[in-house]
Short mmCIF file of all heavy atoms in Angstrom, two decimals:
data_model
loop_
_atom_site.label_atom_id
_atom_site.label_comp_id
_atom_site.label_asym_id
_atom_site.label_seq_id
_atom_site.Cartn_x
_atom_site.Cartn_y
_atom_site.Cartn_z
N PRO A 81 7.17 9.25 2.93
CA PRO A 81 6.82 7.96 2.29
C PRO A 81 5.26 7.92 2.41
O PRO A 81 4.65 8.51 3.38
CB PRO A 81 7.39 6.97 3.25
CG PRO A 81 7.64 7.55 4.60
CD PRO A 81 7.88 8.95 4.25
N PRO A 82 4.72 7.26 1.39
CA PRO A 82 3.22 7.15 1.39
C PRO A 82 2.64 6.41 2.57
O PRO A 82 3.30 5.46 3.07
CB PRO A 82 2.92 6.47 0.08
CG PRO A 82 4.16 5.68 -0.20
CD PRO A 82 5.31 6.48 0.43
N SER A 83 1.49 6.86 3.18
CA SER A 83 0.95 6.10 4.28
C SER A 83 0.35 4.79 3.71
O SER A 83 -0.10 4.76 2.54
CB SER A 83 -0.14 6.86 5.08
OG SER A 83 -0.83 7.56 4.13
N LEU A 84 0.52 3.71 4.51
CA LEU A 84 0.07 2.34 4.02
C LEU A 84 -1.27 1.97 4.55
O LEU A 84 -1.61 2.28 5.71
CB LEU A 84 1.16 1.40 4.44
CG LEU A 84 2.59 1.65 3.88
CD1 LEU A 84 3.45 0.64 4.32
CD2 LEU A 84 2.53 1.60 2.25
N TYR A 85 -1.90 1.11 3.84
CA TYR A 85 -3.21 0.56 4.17
C TYR A 85 -3.15 -0.88 4.09
O TYR A 85 -2.64 -1.40 3.19
CB TYR A 85 -4.34 1.24 3.34
CG TYR A 85 -4.53 2.67 3.63
CD1 TYR A 85 -3.73 3.59 3.29
CD2 TYR A 85 -5.73 2.96 4.50
CE1 TYR A 85 -3.89 4.89 3.72
CE2 TYR A 85 -5.98 4.25 4.83
CZ TYR A 85 -5.06 5.22 4.38
OH TYR A 85 -5.22 6.59 4.80
N GLN A 86 -3.81 -1.52 5.09
CA GLN A 86 -4.01 -3.09 4.91
C GLN A 86 -5.30 -3.41 4.28
O GLN A 86 -6.31 -2.78 4.70
CB GLN A 86 -3.69 -3.64 6.19
CG GLN A 86 -4.40 -3.25 7.39
CD GLN A 86 -3.85 -3.97 8.74
OE1 GLN A 86 -2.69 -4.50 8.68
NE2 GLN A 86 -4.75 -3.93 9.67
N VAL A 87 -5.27 -4.24 3.43
CA VAL A 87 -6.46 -4.75 2.85
C VAL A 87 -6.96 -5.94 3.55
O VAL A 87 -6.20 -6.95 3.86
CB VAL A 87 -6.48 -5.23 1.36
CG1 VAL A 87 -7.60 -5.80 0.80
CG2 VAL A 87 -5.95 -3.89 0.48
N VAL A 132 -0.59 -5.19 2.42
CA VAL A 132 -0.38 -3.94 2.83
C VAL A 132 0.11 -3.06 1.70
O VAL A 132 1.25 -3.44 1.12
CB VAL A 132 0.56 -3.78 4.08
CG1 VAL A 132 0.79 -2.34 4.55
CG2 VAL A 132 0.10 -4.74 5.18
N TYR A 133 -0.48 -1.94 1.29
CA TYR A 133 -0.25 -1.11 0.12
C TYR A 133 -0.34 0.38 0.30
O TYR A 133 -1.15 0.72 1.15
CB TYR A 133 -1.10 -1.57 -1.00
CG TYR A 133 -1.13 -3.12 -1.25
CD1 TYR A 133 -2.14 -3.90 -0.63
CD2 TYR A 133 -0.24 -3.67 -2.09
CE1 TYR A 133 -2.22 -5.21 -0.76
CE2 TYR A 133 -0.31 -5.17 -2.13
CZ TYR A 133 -1.20 -5.81 -1.69
OH TYR A 133 -1.35 -7.26 -1.77
N PRO A 134 0.27 1.08 -0.48
CA PRO A 134 -0.20 2.50 -0.54
C PRO A 134 -1.70 2.71 -0.73
O PRO A 134 -2.33 1.72 -1.35
CB PRO A 134 0.69 3.19 -1.75
CG PRO A 134 1.80 2.19 -1.95
CD PRO A 134 1.25 0.75 -1.47
N LYS A 135 -2.29 3.88 -0.41
CA LYS A 135 -3.74 3.95 -0.38
C LYS A 135 -4.41 3.70 -1.60
O LYS A 135 -5.36 2.95 -1.66
CB LYS A 135 -3.89 5.44 0.07
CG LYS A 135 -5.45 5.76 0.38
CD LYS A 135 -5.50 7.10 0.87
CE LYS A 135 -6.94 7.49 1.53
NZ LYS A 135 -6.99 8.71 2.07
N ASP A 136 -3.89 4.25 -2.75
CA ASP A 136 -4.69 4.02 -4.01
C ASP A 136 -4.60 2.64 -4.53
O ASP A 136 -5.55 2.11 -5.14
CB ASP A 136 -4.14 5.12 -5.10
CG ASP A 136 -2.70 4.94 -5.37
OD1 ASP A 136 -1.94 4.55 -4.38
OD2 ASP A 136 -2.20 5.47 -6.39
N ILE A 137 -3.53 1.96 -4.22
CA ILE A 137 -3.45 0.49 -4.58
C ILE A 137 -4.29 -0.23 -3.81
O ILE A 137 -4.94 -1.25 -4.41
CB ILE A 137 -1.94 0.05 -4.46
CG1 ILE A 137 -1.07 0.85 -5.64
CG2 ILE A 137 -1.85 -1.36 -4.81
CD1 ILE A 137 0.42 0.54 -5.60
N ALA A 138 -4.36 -0.01 -2.49
CA ALA A 138 -5.26 -0.80 -1.57
C ALA A 138 -6.72 -0.54 -2.04
O ALA A 138 -7.55 -1.55 -2.09
CB ALA A 138 -5.10 -0.35 -0.11
N ALA A 139 -7.08 0.74 -2.46
CA ALA A 139 -8.51 0.88 -2.78
C ALA A 139 -8.82 0.18 -4.06
O ALA A 139 -9.93 -0.33 -4.25
CB ALA A 139 -8.63 2.41 -2.96
N THR A 140 -7.86 0.09 -4.98
CA THR A 140 -8.14 -0.62 -6.28
C THR A 140 -8.27 -2.09 -5.96
O THR A 140 -9.30 -2.67 -6.62
CB THR A 140 -6.84 -0.37 -7.15
OG1 THR A 140 -6.76 1.03 -7.40
CG2 THR A 140 -7.08 -1.14 -8.59
N LYS A 141 -7.54 -2.60 -5.07
CA LYS A 141 -7.51 -4.08 -4.79
C LYS A 141 -8.94 -4.37 -4.16
O LYS A 141 -9.60 -5.42 -4.53
CB LYS A 141 -6.43 -4.54 -3.90
CG LYS A 141 -5.13 -4.59 -4.73
CD LYS A 141 -4.04 -5.27 -3.99
CE LYS A 141 -2.69 -5.19 -4.71
NZ LYS A 141 -2.63 -6.16 -6.01
N VAL A 142 -9.38 -3.55 -3.18
CA VAL A 142 -10.70 -3.73 -2.63
C VAL A 142 -11.77 -3.82 -3.72
O VAL A 142 -12.67 -4.65 -3.74
CB VAL A 142 -11.04 -2.61 -1.52
CG1 VAL A 142 -12.42 -2.64 -1.16
CG2 VAL A 142 -10.11 -2.72 -0.41
N GLU A 143 -11.69 -2.79 -4.61
CA GLU A 143 -12.68 -2.61 -5.62
C GLU A 143 -12.75 -3.89 -6.60
O GLU A 143 -13.61 -4.40 -6.88
CB GLU A 143 -12.29 -1.42 -6.49
CG GLU A 143 -13.41 -0.64 -7.07
CD GLU A 143 -14.72 -0.43 -6.13
OE1 GLU A 143 -14.44 0.09 -5.04
OE2 GLU A 143 -15.67 -0.93 -6.55
N MET A 160 -10.47 -1.59 3.65
CA MET A 160 -8.98 -1.24 3.81
C MET A 160 -9.04 -0.42 5.19
O MET A 160 -9.92 0.36 5.48
CB MET A 160 -8.55 -0.47 2.68
CG MET A 160 -9.22 0.81 2.28
SD MET A 160 -8.80 1.35 0.71
CE MET A 160 -7.50 2.49 1.29
N GLU A 161 -7.88 -0.43 5.77
CA GLU A 161 -7.68 0.41 7.06
C GLU A 161 -6.22 0.64 7.18
O GLU A 161 -5.45 0.05 6.76
CB GLU A 161 -8.30 -0.43 8.22
CG GLU A 161 -7.82 -1.84 8.44
CD GLU A 161 -8.48 -2.60 9.58
OE1 GLU A 161 -9.74 -2.55 9.61
OE2 GLU A 161 -7.82 -3.35 10.26
N ALA A 162 -6.03 1.92 7.78
CA ALA A 162 -4.84 2.40 7.93
C ALA A 162 -3.89 1.29 8.60
O ALA A 162 -4.24 0.80 9.63
CB ALA A 162 -4.72 3.69 8.75
N ALA A 163 -2.62 1.18 8.13
CA ALA A 163 -1.81 0.11 8.69
C ALA A 163 -1.10 0.66 9.90
O ALA A 163 -0.74 1.82 10.01
CB ALA A 163 -0.82 -0.35 7.75
#
Side-chain angles (χ1 to χ4, degrees):
S83 42
L84 296 177
Y85 286 74
Q86 51 189 19
V87 176
V132 178
Y133 307 95
K135 192 175 192 177
D136 53 341
I137 295 175
T140 300
K141 288 189 184 286
V142 167
E143 213 43 58
M160 58 191 269
E161 49 190 40

